[in-house]
């Protein structure tokens, strides 16, 4: 493999201008396609259309409509005043007019069933189904509305808080269209409500649509606000380390070209840009910086030794071909393992990242040395070389002389990290991603505490026609509702059984003891018929039970929690449903937006974890192939495991969960860590082949490759460390953990690898390497 | 609106509008001869958005009544099928200038209950039709305009009928369907098609007559379809028997009859 680089270098040098022309042309062509300012919101970016959870949700949605809602909570003391209720009526009507809005639930659309008193021997009384809000509301009517709303079990704690200070407006959409126009629709609803709010009334927005949209907003905001800062810090640190404007610009142009190629190819392949793929540019930048710094440093060094451009070019390519290929292939294969994921977005991210890594490899070998030939030669060593050589030599000598201390320290740190690892939880809490002061966080707290919570899931019941109104089924539904209420996070459970009980109570003169399911099938059928006589009743019924009573749903509302907890509670609910309907012809299943999103998070973390495992094995395999050496493969594994262990342990100790945001750091970590190790081992083996002693080979590898790694670490740490200050926690974690990763990866390279080589001389000593060759 | 049910449509007397004008057409729809009373046996097939069909058989009796010199119609609906709601009855007593009285008899409960609070634009017994579609609309609740003076309607048999396209705009801004554009036959004043618009001015419901026939000299829609585009539901009504002027009396439309006839 090393020979391939030697043979390839002159060929690349001969064709460098043509190849560079192609690279530039490609970047120019790709640039217009590399639009990463428009996020694709389609659900199918996250779920395969064949995924059972998605199929189940679609089946549910076709039957009962979507459950991905926007919840607007209004808080204040003026809700139950004539002005407050008028406002709710006005905004409800305005929201109903907004495109894609299918249904609005509010105090305005709520209906109350009232028992009418007997007026004589000939009149057994009756029932009245009326809107909760009368057409004209004065102070007396407002007080009556409040009393009615608080007295209704279905409304209290769901549509209105127990103290009457918070009320909800729940908006459902045509889910086949909403994702295309979501931002505009949500904005329009804000415009309907916000300007109308009087003093003393505040609006809070939440629900699965608002959460998803907030993600998109934050992603784009970060892109616009943080990208210039990241690049600014990056350029500054490159300049400080190389003290050369031309080299700084060169590296910047090379990085930009890699990003343009990657994102252009990503788009041309038909992949969609989303919250997940927004990490891609950052990943490519980190890896490109590492590759380009190695090339620039090597080129400069060789040029200063030989004074010859061609020699500097071919030497750089020949020396770096194998380590860059090894580093790139391992990272690319690790990323490519995501291509087997069930989630389209993860699949596309994996393939996009793999393509990006390989594109960057090619660009680094062809484009960067060619550009280096165009810039003025630096006669003196740059600051990074002068400043870093001394400390790195000292580190190399320390690692050799005190290898025992190094390995003992590694063992202690590993033990501490392992202890932290036991505290690490796989968990995504979307609300906690946002700072306590963020509107989404505040609205979740309000809705969770005052209303029925922001998450919902459904238990769908399916059986033969008419089976879902039989007395036996109704009894089982009641039993299941009681069981579901015992789940810790569950706040409200509603099914068509509740509607029947309400009608039955009103038909019996509003007697509380009559709030039961009537015993006969005919009575149930007739009360359901009665409830469905009115438009609103019919619409309400259609949302919970199919017209032929072959399908029904139980809605379960819960407070916001981590996805894992939601996932577990839904699984428990499924088990409860199975138990409640055992031996009947009704088949229960769980679905709804809560299940959709908790499963998605679960899938994402699991697919990343499995990819991470695969990537580890791949590193070993590729290093074996590149170096044709099992022992150096094992050494790479040891050196790669430590940084990952430290990062995960650090997360465990700090209570940072392994979630959809932080799991991406793991992928980047592996990409960075194995690069450093491969460069070091490659240099060590080269020095060994040229007859160096073990100590000299370690020192040379540490000084030269460690310098590039340290330079890369400083550049990326400074650039991405800035993200640590973001108020959006995933961004903050990503930046902070990435910065830490860079530092630990460098330390692993310059301390662990030399220490292991020194301690296990019988395997890794240079004479052994020469003998094996 | 519907020919068979327009017999019970209320008539509001007002100054006679100019012949051929939109108001005049609207008045003719209301005033056309639909008999003093009528009785229909009907089959109602309600399709949900999955295409599943529920069938209900019902008998509908109507009487053109009067109170204080104004129209005050009566309507009695008795469900015959399916069996679990068989015998369920529904009585509507109109009162000019006041809310209608509605009574329901549920056999399982055994007594008549008053039902209050339903609106004209509410669903007619859980179907895609509204009470307004069945009983006709209050003339003065709407403003009318002719949107197309020559809009021939072709019946399912291929015969073309001269017709107007009449727009009815609700004066009540909170109406569920604030605008309805109907196709009205010029020679019989029967409404044979209509588009109902929601508050976003989107067509949400479409009505069409599929079979129109003269029975006892009165033009009667025997097959009608109301399709709800938003909810993707549909209700088909077939009149299997239609009788006019059968001698129904006020006493046939009381709470007692509602209860006793079910037994």
């Amino acid at each position: 493999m090393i020979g391939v680089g030697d043979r390839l270098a002159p060929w690349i040098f001969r064709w460098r201008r043509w190849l560079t022309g192609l690279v530039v042309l490609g970047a120019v062509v790709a640039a217009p396609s590399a639009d990463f300012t428009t996020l694709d919101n389609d659900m199918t970016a996250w779920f395969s259309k064949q995924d059972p959870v998605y199929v189940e949700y679609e089946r549910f949605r076709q039957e009962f409509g979507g459950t991905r809602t926007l919840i607007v909570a209004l808080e204040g003391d003026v809700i139950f005043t004539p002005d407050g209720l008028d406002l709710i009526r006005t905004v409800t009507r305005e929201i109903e007019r907004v495109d894609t809005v299918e249904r609005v639930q509010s105090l305005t659309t709520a209906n109350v069933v009232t028992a009418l008193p007997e007026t004589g021997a000939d009149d057994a009384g009756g029932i009245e189904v009326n809107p909760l809000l009368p057409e004209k509301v004065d102070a007396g009517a407002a007080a009556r509305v409040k009393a009615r709303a608080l007295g209704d079990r279905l409304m209290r704690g769901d549509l209105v808080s127990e103290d009457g200070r918070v009320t909800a407006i729940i908006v459902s959409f045509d889910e086949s269209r909403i994702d295309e126009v979501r931002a505009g629709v949500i904005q329009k609803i804000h415009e309907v409500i916000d300007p109308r709010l009087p003093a003393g009334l505040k609006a809070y927005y939440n629900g699965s649509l608002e959460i998803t949209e907030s993600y998109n907003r934050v992603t784009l905001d970060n892109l616009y606000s943080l990208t210039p800062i990241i690049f600014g810090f990056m350029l500054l640190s490159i300049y400080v380390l190389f003290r050369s404007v031309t080299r700084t610009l060169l590296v910047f142009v090379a990085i930009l070209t890699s990003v343009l190629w990657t994102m252009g190819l990503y788009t041309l392949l038909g992949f969609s840009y989303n919250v997940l793929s927004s990490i891609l540019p950052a990943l490519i930048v980190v890896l490109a910086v590492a590759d380009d710094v190695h090339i620039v440093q090597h080129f400069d060094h060789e040029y200063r030794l030989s004074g010859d451009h061609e020699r500097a070019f071919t030497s750089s390519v020949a020396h770096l071909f194998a380590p860059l290929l090894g580093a790139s292939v391992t990272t690319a294969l690790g990323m490519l393992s995501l291509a087997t994921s069930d989630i389209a977005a993860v699949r596309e991210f994996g393939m996009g990242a793999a393509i990006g890594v390989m594109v960057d490899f090619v660009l680094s070998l062809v484009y960067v040395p060619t550009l280096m030939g165009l810039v003025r030669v630096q006669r003196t060593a740059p600051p990074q070389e002068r400043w870093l050589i001394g400390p790195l030599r000292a580190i190399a000598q320390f690692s050799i002389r005190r290898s025992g201390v190094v390995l003992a320290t590694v063992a202690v740190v590993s033990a501490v990290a392992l202890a932290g690892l036991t505290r690490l939880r796989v968990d995504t809490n979307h609300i906690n991603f946002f700072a306590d002061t963020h509107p989404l966080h505040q609205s979740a707290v309000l809705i969770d505490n005052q209303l029925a919570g922001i998450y919902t899931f459904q238990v769908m019941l399916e059986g033969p026609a008419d089976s879902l109104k039989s007395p036996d089924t109704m009894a089982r539904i009641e039993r299941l509702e009681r069981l579901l209420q015992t789940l810790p996070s569950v706040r409200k459970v509603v099914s068509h059984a509740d509607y029947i009980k309400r009608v039955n109570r009103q038909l019996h003169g509003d007697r509380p003891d009559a709030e039961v399911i009537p015993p006969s099938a005919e009575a149930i059928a007739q009360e359901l018929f009665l409830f469905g006589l009115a438009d609103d009743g019919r619409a309400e019924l259609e949302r919970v039970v199919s017209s032929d009573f072959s399908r029904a749903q139980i809605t379960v509302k819960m407070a916001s929690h981590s996805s894992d907890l939601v996932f577990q509670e839904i699984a428990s609910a499924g088990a409860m449903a199975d138990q409640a309907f055992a031996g009947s012809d009704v088949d229960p299943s769980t679905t709804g937006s809560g299940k959709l999103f908790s499963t998605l998070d679960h899938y994402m973390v699991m697919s990343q974890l499995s990819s991470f495992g695969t990537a580890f094995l791949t590193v070993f395999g590729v290093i074996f192939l590149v170096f044709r050496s099992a022992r150096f493969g094992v050494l790479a594994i040891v050196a790669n495991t430590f940084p990952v262990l430290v990062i995960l342990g650090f997360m465990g100790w700090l209570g940072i969960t392994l979630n959809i945001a932080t799991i991406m750091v793991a992928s980047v970590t592996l990409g960075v860590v194995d690069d450093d190790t491969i460069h070091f081992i490659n240099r060590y083996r080269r020095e060994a082949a040229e007859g160096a002693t073990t100590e000299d080979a370690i020192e040379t590898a540490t000084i030269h490759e460690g310098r590039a790694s340290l330079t890369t670490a400083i550049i990326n740490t400074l650039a991405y460390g800035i993200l640590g200050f973001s108020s959006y926690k995933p961004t903050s974690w990503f930046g902070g953990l990435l910065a830490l990763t860079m530092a630990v990866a460098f330390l692993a390279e310059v301390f662990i690898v030399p220490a292991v080589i020194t301690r296990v001389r019988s395997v890794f000593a240079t004479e052994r390497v020469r003998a094996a060759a | 609106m519907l020919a068979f049910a327009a017999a019970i449509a209320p008539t509001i007397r007002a100054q006679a509008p100019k012949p051929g004008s939109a108001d005049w057409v609207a008045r003719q729809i209301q005033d056309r001869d639909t008999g003093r009373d009528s009785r229909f046996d009907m089959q109602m097939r309600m399709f949900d958005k999955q295409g599943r069909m529920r069938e209900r058989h019902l008998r509908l009796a109507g009487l053109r009544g009067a109170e204080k010199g104004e129209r005050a119609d009566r309507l009695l609906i008795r469900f015959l099928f399916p069996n679990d709601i068989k015998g369920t009855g529904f009585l509507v007593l109109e009162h000019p200038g006041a809310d209608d009285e509605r009574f329901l008899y549920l056999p399982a409960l055994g007594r008549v209950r008053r039902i209050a609070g339903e609106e004209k634009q509410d669903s007619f017994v859980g179907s895609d039709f509204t009470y307004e579609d069945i009983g006709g609309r209050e003339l003065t609740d709407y403003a009318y305009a002719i949107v197309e003076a020559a809009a021939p309607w072709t019946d399912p048999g291929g015969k073309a009928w001269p017709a107007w396209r009449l727009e009815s705009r609700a004066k009540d801004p909170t109406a569920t369907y604030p605008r309805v554009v109907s196709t009205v036959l010029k020679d019989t004043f029967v409404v044979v098609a209509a588009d109902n618009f929601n508050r976003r001015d989107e067509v949400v419901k479409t009505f069409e007559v599929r079979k129109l026939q003269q029975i006892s000299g009165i033009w009667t829609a025997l097959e009608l379809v109301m399709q709800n585009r938003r909810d993707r539901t549909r209700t088909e009504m077939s009149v299997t028997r239609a009788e006019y002027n059968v001698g129904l009396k006020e006493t046939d439309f009381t709470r007692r009859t509602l209860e006793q006839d079910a037994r």
Side-chain angles (χ1 to χ4, degrees):
Chain A
M1 191 64 75
I2 291 169
V4 177
D6 291 325
R7 285 196 297 276
L8 205 58
W11 185 87
I12 296 175
F13 181 75
R14 193 180 320 135
W15 295 101
R16 66 191 184 284
R17 291 198 175 87
W18 285 100
L19 293 170
T20 299
L22 279 177
V23 167
V24 173
L25 186 68
V28 170
V29 171
S33 313
D35 171 22
F36 36 92
T37 57
T38 311
L39 298 182
D40 178 28
N41 297 316
D42 199 295
M43 275 299 288
T44 52
W46 302 99
F47 275 102
S48 152
K49 283 182 179 168
Q50 284 79 43
D51 189 290
V53 174
Y54 183 75
V55 169
E56 192 79 350
Y57 180 73
E58 278 300 296
R59 218 154 55 81
F60 173 87
R61 193 170 72 78
Q62 293 301 323
E63 185 69 61
F64 298 114
T67 64
R68 293 165 55 210
T69 55
L70 174 73
I71 306 170
V72 187
L74 299 176
E75 185 198 28
D77 292 319
V78 296
I79 290 171
F80 290 101
T81 62
D83 287 346
L85 293 172
D86 268 346
L87 171 90
I88 295 167
R89 192 202 310 273
T90 307
V91 297
T92 300
R93 283 183 188 152
E94 287 289 316
I95 295 169
E96 279 172 345
R97 289 196 178 94
V98 175
D99 185 37
T100 71
V101 169
E102 267 193 356
R103 184 181 184 221
V104 184
Q105 282 173 274
S106 72
L107 290 174
T108 310
T109 59
N111 286 282
V112 282
V113 184
T114 314
L116 298 174
E118 293 184 22
T119 56
D122 194 30
D123 181 8
I127 66 167
E128 183 174 32
V129 182
N130 260 335
L132 173 68
L133 244 64
E135 267 310 307
K136 287 196 169 47
V137 182
D138 54 20
R144 284 193 295 279
V145 167
K146 183 177 181 179
R148 281 308 304 263
L150 293 178
D152 190 303
R153 197 189 76 80
L154 294 177
M155 268 186 265
R156 191 183 61 245
D158 188 5
L159 212 51
V160 61
S161 65
E162 300 275 351
D163 62 3
R165 288 193 73 253
V166 184
T167 186
I169 299 174
I170 302 165
V171 190
S172 308
F173 302 88
D174 175 356
E175 287 190 10
S176 56
R177 293 194 295 138
I178 182 61
D179 288 325
E180 294 165 21
V181 291
R182 190 174 61 213
V185 167
I186 291 178
Q187 178 61 28
K188 198 151 197 169
I189 292 173
H190 275 261
E191 286 165 11
V192 166
I193 296 172
D194 297 345
R196 291 187 164 92
L197 290 174
L201 197 62
K202 204 171 167 197
Y204 296 82
Y205 298 82
N206 212 296
S208 57
L209 281 183
E210 178 70 18
I211 294 172
T212 319
E213 194 50 37
S214 293
Y215 270 116
N216 283 6
R217 278 199 291 265
V218 167
T219 304
L220 290 179
D221 283 352
N222 282 350
L223 188 73
Y224 293 130
S225 61
L226 297 176
T227 306
I229 301 173
I230 291 172
F231 274 109
F233 269 84
M234 193 166 279
L235 290 173
L236 186 68
S237 48
I238 294 171
Y239 178 75
V240 169
L241 291 166
F242 285 94
R243 200 57 63 81
S244 161
V245 173
T246 49
R247 270 151 192 75
T248 305
L249 288 176
L250 185 148
V251 172
F252 179 70
V253 167
I255 294 167
L256 201 65
T257 309
S258 288
V259 172
L260 286 177
W261 263 85
T262 304
M263 297 315 292
L265 284 173
Y266 185 84
T267 311
L268 288 173
L269 284 169
F271 297 160
S272 61
Y273 190 67
N274 49 53
V275 175
L276 189 60
S277 46
S278 68
I279 304 276
L280 265 182
L283 174 70
I284 300 303
V285 167
V286 169
L287 297 176
V289 166
D291 291 352
D292 298 346
V293 163
H294 274 103
I295 296 270
V296 170
Q297 185 184 287
H298 199 101
F299 191 101
D300 274 340
H301 184 77
E302 282 297 321
Y303 190 84
R304 277 197 303 278
L305 289 179
S306 66
D308 179 28
H309 258 125
E310 181 174 350
R311 178 155 173 70
F313 188 111
T314 50
S315 166
S316 300
V317 173
H319 276 78
L320 293 171
F321 175 79
L324 285 183
L325 177 68
S328 303
V329 168
T330 48
T331 308
L333 286 177
M335 296 295 172
L336 208 56
S337 65
L338 293 172
T340 56
S341 169
D342 287 335
I343 306 166
V346 172
R347 214 163 45 226
E348 291 174 1
F349 171 79
M351 287 193 268
I355 290 167
V357 169
M358 293 317 293
V359 161
D360 181 59
F361 162 69
V362 173
L363 259 60
S364 300
L365 280 184
V366 174
Y367 190 49
V368 179
T370 306
L371 292 179
M372 284 295 288
L374 301 175
V375 301
R376 201 156 50 85
V377 176
Q378 265 186 319
R379 295 286 173 195
T380 53
Q384 58 109 348
E385 224 164 287
R386 283 180 279 126
W387 297 342
L388 304 181
I389 284 180
L392 284 166
R393 179 171 288 123
I395 288 173
Q397 286 165 1
F398 180 83
S399 300
I400 294 165
R401 281 202 297 269
R402 302 261 188 259
S403 57
V405 174
V406 170
L407 293 180
T409 309
V410 167
V412 171
V413 174
S414 297
V416 174
L418 266 173
L421 194 63
T422 60
R423 302 162 67 97
L424 185 66
R425 285 181 305 118
V426 178
D427 178 25
T428 299
N429 188 326
H430 295 278
I431 298 304
N432 284 349
F433 280 179
F434 296 87
D436 294 355
T437 50
H438 192 281
L440 197 73
H441 197 116
Q442 292 180 333
S443 61
V445 170
L446 181 81
I447 296 167
D448 285 347
N449 290 332
Q450 301 293 323
L451 301 170
I454 60 169
Y455 288 172
T456 59
F457 71 91
Q458 275 73 24
V459 179
M460 184 153 77
L461 306 170
E462 294 171 279
D466 291 329
S467 61
L468 287 156
K469 59 180 179 181
S470 76
D472 172 61
T473 303
M474 300 314 295
R476 288 173 191 263
I477 290 174
E478 274 196 292
R479 196 157 59 239
L480 177 57
E481 281 194 41
R482 279 197 298 275
L483 282 172
L484 291 170
Q485 290 279 14
T486 64
L487 290 169
S489 312
V490 169
R491 308 291 299 272
K492 195 101 185 165
V493 183
V494 177
S495 75
H496 65 295
D498 298 293
Y499 294 114
I500 298 171
K501 285 194 273 189
R502 189 165 74 167
V503 171
N504 195 59
R505 174 175 169 162
Q506 300 305 337
L507 281 172
H508 291 85
D510 198 18
R511 283 191 351 247
D513 64 309
E515 194 164 329
V516 293
I517 299 288
S520 80
E522 286 76 16
I524 294 171
Q526 288 164 28
E527 290 186 6
L528 281 166
F529 171 79
L530 166 63
F531 191 74
L533 277 179
D535 248 7
D536 293 321
R538 178 191 175 207
E540 216 156 333
L541 214 50
E542 279 173 357
R543 307 263 319 174
V544 292
V545 65
S546 69
S547 62
D548 66 346
F549 294 93
S550 65
R551 285 176 189 177
Q553 62 133 320
I554 301 172
T555 296
V556 185
K557 295 198 173 188
M558 58 199 301
S560 64
H561 279 289
S562 66
S563 296
D564 247 41
L565 190 86
V566 174
F567 191 79
Q568 282 165 21
E569 290 216 355
I570 294 175
S572 303
M576 287 171 172
D578 287 340
Q579 182 198 336
F581 287 92
S584 79
D585 51 5
V586 173
D587 185 27
S589 57
T590 52
T591 185
S593 60
K595 173 148 184 181
L596 208 57
F597 289 108
S598 62
T599 306
L600 177 62
D601 294 343
H602 187 77
Y603 278 175
M604 282 184 72
V605 175
M606 288 304 143
S607 64
Q608 288 277 356
L609 278 176
S610 102
S611 140
F612 200 59
T614 314
F616 249 97
L617 295 176
T618 312
V619 169
F620 178 81
V622 172
I623 289 175
F624 175 76
L625 282 175
V626 171
F627 298 125
R628 295 199 180 87
S629 165
R631 55 189 156 170
F632 281 102
V634 172
L635 178 59
I637 289 284
V638 171
N640 285 339
T641 306
F642 179 73
V644 174
L645 187 64
V646 168
I647 299 299
L648 296 179
F650 177 80
M651 288 167 64
W653 282 113
L654 282 193
I656 301 172
T657 60
L658 206 55
N659 55 49
I660 58 167
T662 54
I663 194 74
M664 300 311 295
V665 177
S667 301
V668 183
T669 304
L670 198 61
V672 172
V673 172
D674 73 351
D675 283 13
D676 288 356
T677 320
I678 289 171
H679 279 291
F680 191 99
I681 293 173
N682 179 66
R683 187 65 181 239
Y684 177 79
R685 282 164 52 92
R686 239 178 207 281
E687 294 299 320
E690 286 170 12
T693 63
T694 302
E695 286 74 13
D696 286 346
I698 288 174
E699 193 174 304
T700 307
T702 306
I703 289 170
H704 288 277
E705 304 311 323
R707 199 172 71 228
S709 303
L710 183 55
T711 306
T712 305
I714 292 170
I715 294 168
N716 280 326
T717 301
L718 280 174
Y720 284 95
I722 199 77
L723 297 180
F725 297 102
S726 170
S727 63
Y728 179 55
K729 289 179 190 171
T731 303
S732 165
W733 291 329
F734 184 80
L737 292 174
L738 194 61
L740 184 66
T741 301
M742 301 299 300
V744 179
F746 164 74
L747 294 176
E749 178 191 352
V750 296
F751 283 104
I752 299 178
V753 178
V756 172
I757 290 173
T758 308
R759 295 303 287 187
V760 198
R761 279 175 177 273
S762 57
V763 178
F764 296 112
T766 50
E767 51 271 26
R768 287 281 174 188
V769 176
R770 282 193 290 275
Chain B
M1 179 190 273
L2 308 183
F4 68 86
I8 54 164
T11 304
I12 306 299
R13 296 289 166 201
Q15 194 178 4
K18 188 179 160 197
S21 68
D23 287 348
W24 178 80
V25 174
R27 168 62 52 81
Q28 298 310 308
I29 295 168
Q30 301 284 16
D31 286 354
R32 79 182 182 92
D33 177 23
T34 49
R36 198 189 71 80
D37 61 59
S38 54
R39 193 156 54 201
F40 302 96
D41 280 354
M42 300 165 58
Q43 290 179 2
M44 194 157 72
R45 287 175 297 280
M46 294 183 283
F47 296 85
D48 67 12
K49 59 186 154 199
Q50 309 292 342
R52 290 178 298 233
M53 192 264 283
R54 274 171 305 152
E55 192 165 351
R56 282 177 185 169
H57 296 181
L58 51 143
R59 179 164 297 152
L60 189 146
L63 174 71
R64 183 173 282 205
E67 274 181 21
K68 303 169 194 164
E70 290 194 41
R71 276 271 294 271
D73 297 330
R74 277 83 181 90
L75 177 68
L76 194 144
I77 303 153
R78 179 80 62 195
F79 288 86
L80 310 171
F81 180 85
N83 288 339
D84 56 8
I85 58 164
K86 187 176 178 180
T88 298
F90 197 59
L91 174 68
V92 181
L93 305 178
E94 286 187 351
H95 299 296
D99 286 343
D100 296 349
E101 275 189 289
R102 297 176 189 198
F103 299 92
L104 180 75
Y105 175 75
L106 296 178
L109 288 177
R111 293 189 78 174
V112 171
R113 297 289 197 279
R114 271 183 290 134
I115 303 290
E118 292 192 352
E119 301 292 331
K120 282 265 182 199
Q121 287 196 335
D122 262 355
S123 160
F124 171 71
V125 294
S127 72
D128 289 302
F129 291 93
T130 63
Y131 285 101
E132 204 171 63
D133 297 328
I134 301 296
R137 59 178 58 94
E138 292 277 356
L139 203 59
T140 53
D141 284 353
Y142 290 84
Y144 302 93
I146 299 281
V147 290
E148 205 176 340
W153 176 71
T154 306
D155 69 19
K159 185 184 171 190
W161 303 64
W164 292 283
R165 293 271 286 161
L166 177 74
E167 181 190 72
S168 313
R169 277 188 185 273
K171 291 174 183 169
D172 176 5
T174 67
T176 312
Y177 307 107
R179 190 162 82 93
V180 180
V181 177
S182 318
T183 301
V184 186
L185 298 187
K186 287 187 174 177
D187 46 0
T188 60
F189 301 103
V190 176
V191 175
V192 287
D195 291 332
N196 293 30
F197 293 77
N198 65 7
R199 286 180 215 153
R200 286 203 293 255
D201 206 33
E202 299 161 338
V203 178
V204 281
K205 290 208 309 180
T206 54
F207 161 76
E208 64 174 305
V209 169
R210 289 191 176 163
K211 188 175 179 185
L212 186 64
Q213 193 175 308
Q214 260 189 325
I215 293 178
S216 307
I218 295 171
W219 282 102
T220 308
L222 294 180
E223 286 182 13
L224 320 97
V225 181
M226 183 67 87
Q227 193 148 2
N228 189 318
R229 289 189 192 180
R230 190 196 61 188
D231 297 341
R232 288 178 287 132
T233 56
R234 184 172 92 245
T235 301
E236 295 178 357
M237 272 192 193
S238 301
V239 177
T240 52
R241 189 165 69 112
E243 296 173 292
Y244 291 99
N245 301 321
V246 289
L248 296 175
K249 303 181 291 293
E250 281 281 343
T251 51
D252 294 319
F253 297 88
T254 63
R255 282 176 287 188
R256 195 174 296 274
T257 341
L258 178 64
E259 187 172 338
Q260 284 174 346
D261 285 0
R263 292 176 179 164

